[in-house]
Amino acid sequence: MARALDPALCDALAERMRFYRDLGLTDFYRRAAEAPGSIESCAESHPAPASVSAGETQSAAAPSQGSFFGEEPAPSARRPSSVFSTALPVIPAAERVAALESIRDDIGDCTRCALHKGRNRIVFADGSATARLMFVGEGPGADEDAQGLPFVGRAGQLLNNMIAAMGLKREEVYIANVVKCRPPNNRTPEPAEANTCSPFLFRQIDVVRPEVLVALGATAATYLLGQRQPLAALRGRVHSFRGAKLIVTYHPAFLLRDPRQKKEAWADLQIAMRELGLKPAARA
Ligand code: SF4
């Protein structure tokens, strides 16, 4: 007889199963359903949400060709990454936490750009200072602004699932955003805002020195690469930025709006995995 699962565990399993199913990893479910408990019934009793909350949609909208830079180029466009990638010293692993804390101290109670006016908390980063893999998003949403951590809402749950599908734990990667304060109504950061804040992100990248960077969405890709191009033109290949290999994929919030693109995102993540020598998560 099937054993009832804890409701919270059931929710998490259902979300994970939907994610794998969207990726086409159906074999996972067949095997999982053989395990004790009512795992399969979780997915059946937890249909996928129809839409994303307003707070998660705008900033991670579908890749567009809208203005990111305005009249001024992004910092990374002005400063080719190759200039920095070989010149910077590698900070010993044992000193990286302190180095990141130093960056956070430099940010302080920042008022350098207009985004400070509407924020509750500065969202610095989350994860390991010695991560081999780093994700870069656009900016905090409502949940992130409330908790002071990046990617903790529904998009964050999806990112967690993407990380797990790669065979990693969230605490093994490093996660940050182009801007550290929530834009009003989750709008895309203005060029002046992104250009003011992104140097802190670049310093974080220089400390963590990930082998692979994954840009989540068009804004992250644009400000890392210094290229104002449609996401489709940037995906599917390996770029380089500050000594790391850079992969471009969709923002999880966009994937929540258009789950059909999850397979495309999985293909991007597989490029990152190949570069890291990772194999997909073991299936239950
Ligand atoms: S977004 Fe960045 S630069 Fe702007 S106020 Fe926040 S921390 Fe400062």
Side-chain angles (χ1 to χ4, degrees):
M1 191 170 116
R3 175 167 52 86
L5 293 174
D6 173 81
L9 177 59
C10 195
D11 283 342
L13 282 169
E15 179 62 29
R16 179 71 58 84
M17 290 168 70
R18 280 194 295 270
F19 175 71
Y20 283 126
R21 183 174 55 206
D22 289 340
L23 296 178
L25 302 179
T26 53
D27 187 53
F28 172 86
Y29 304 106
R30 284 198 297 273
R31 297 185 190 182
E34 294 167 1
S38 305
I39 295 175
E40 195 165 44
S41 67
C42 292
E44 294 169 354
S45 61
H46 292 70
S51 62
V52 184
S53 68
E56 291 177 312
T57 56
Q58 186 169 347
S59 64
S64 71
Q65 300 183 46
S67 173
F68 291 103
F69 294 141
E71 296 304 313
E72 56 182 320
S76 54
R78 294 194 297 265
R79 299 175 297 173
S81 59
S82 58
V83 171
F84 291 84
S85 61
T86 56
L88 290 168
V90 175
I91 297 177
E95 299 174 16
R96 291 185 192 178
V97 170
L100 290 170
E101 287 175 354
S102 175
I103 298 171
R104 180 64 187 88
D105 289 345
D106 288 347
I107 293 173
D109 190 20
C110 187
T111 58
R112 292 173 178 86
C113 85
L115 293 182
H116 80 276
K117 296 174 185 171
R119 73 155 184 255
N120 285 305
R121 301 181 69 171
I122 289 174
V123 178
F124 182 66
D126 192 25
S128 169
T130 57
R132 298 178 63 208
L133 174 62
M134 177 171 175
F135 291 91
V136 176
E138 178 179 293
D143 293 319
E144 291 75 17
D145 179 63
Q147 297 185 42
L149 289 170
F151 286 94
V152 291
R154 284 188 54 222
Q157 183 57 52
L158 178 55
L159 178 61
N160 291 347
N161 288 343
M162 293 162 69
I163 293 168
M166 299 175 77
L168 296 169
K169 299 174 183 171
R170 178 177 167 117
E171 54 267 31
E172 293 177 307
V173 307
Y174 193 76
I175 306 169
N177 286 308
V178 172
V179 295
K180 303 194 184 310
C181 300
R182 183 191 182 199
N185 300 314
N186 291 350
R187 65 161 169 75
T188 301
E190 297 290 344
E193 296 158 354
N195 286 336
T196 300
C197 200
S198 56
F200 294 116
L201 170 67
F202 300 159
R203 287 175 61 187
Q204 290 170 281
I205 293 170
D206 291 340
V207 169
V208 177
R209 283 293 182 112
E211 294 169 45
V212 173
L213 275 163
V214 175
L216 299 168
T219 299
T222 299
Y223 283 96
L224 290 179
L225 285 169
Q227 296 182 29
R228 183 183 164 190
Q229 290 191 37
L231 213 61
L234 301 173
R235 292 184 47 247
R237 55 196 169 103
V238 179
H239 307 267
S240 101
F241 183 69
R242 297 177 98 85
K245 295 169 181 173
L246 172 61
I247 314 296
V248 175
T249 193
Y250 297 113
H251 193 288
F254 171 67
L255 296 176
L256 289 172
R257 295 174 61 196
D258 188 356
R260 295 170 300 176
Q261 304 304 324
K262 285 182 179 177
K263 287 183 181 177
E264 296 295 315
W266 179 236
D268 296 330
L269 295 182
Q270 286 180 307
I271 297 174
M273 292 166 66
R274 182 192 69 203
E275 296 299 326
L276 290 166
L278 296 175
K279 298 191 182 309
R283 299 178 190 179

